[in-house]
Amino acid sequence: PRALFSEAEIKAAQWYARKNGAHKLPSSRQVKKYREAVMTVAGANSRTHKGACGHLYTTNDVEVIIHHEWANPIVRPCLAMYPEDDNGRLADARHGARWLHEVDPDLAAPMARGEDGRDYFVNEFAM
């Protein structure tokens, strides 16, 4: 199997990380040694396919990507679970009319936890 990153690409990524203030970076050898273990835990189940014209392309498992997004404590607070009516302003996907009017609320996000720790469910009265 072909390596995901060449030696030059690993070195370029290390240079970029150092330029952005990263410290204690793994060596190229360490990256290569632990690549499989890391991909097993944090990979996106990439699969290579051959198209009808013979071109190779790669797909990732969307379910795994979403799982990783939800598990990431830095990313999760930035995720939008509910649509918003923003008076015609369309800044994010959650402002879109399709999400607001066409997605079944029971499937989109059936529960929200309030600041008081109480759970509120879609289509149930809240007192």
Side-chain angles (χ1 to χ4, degrees), residues 4-45:
L4 297 175
F5 285 97
S6 68
E7 184 77 24
E9 289 170 323
I10 292 172
K11 294 222 180 278
Q14 290 170 330
W15 171 84
Y16 184 76
R18 278 192 209 95
K19 286 292 184 184
N20 284 287
H23 303 287
K24 297 184 181 179
L25 296 172
S27 68
S28 297
R29 185 176 177 194
Q30 289 172 313
V31 169
K32 290 176 183 177
K33 181 178 179 182
Y34 294 104
R35 180 181 292 153
E36 275 306 312
V38 169
M39 291 305 289
T40 300
V41 174
N45 295 344

Side-chain angles (χ1 to χ4, degrees), residues 89-111:
R89 182 174 158 260
L90 185 61
D92 295 313
R94 67 176 175 255
H95 299 139
R98 294 190 75 179
W99 191 353
L100 183 61
H101 300 292
E102 294 180 24
V103 174
D104 180 357
D106 292 318
L107 299 175
M111 186 208 72

Side-chain angles (χ1 to χ4, degrees), residues 65-121:
I65 293 170
I66 292 170
H67 174 80
H68 290 163
E69 296 282 314
W70 277 88
N72 185 332
I74 296 170
V75 173
R76 186 163 184 194
C78 302
L79 299 178
M81 276 79 51
Y82 302 100
E84 293 179 11
D85 186 355
D86 204 11
N87 297 319
R89 182 174 158 260
L90 185 61
D92 295 313
R94 67 176 175 255
H95 299 139
R98 294 190 75 179
W99 191 353
L100 183 61
H101 300 292
E102 294 180 24
V103 174
D104 180 357
D106 292 318
L107 299 175
M111 186 208 72
R113 180 158 291 138
E115 291 179 8
D116 60 357
R118 293 175 51 184
D119 295 338
Y120 298 91
F121 294 88

Side-chain angles (χ1 to χ4, degrees), residues 38-56:
V38 169
M39 291 305 289
T40 300
V41 174
N45 295 344
S46 299
R47 291 182 202 90
T48 302
H49 308 276
K50 190 172 189 174
C53 295
H55 296 43
L56 296 177

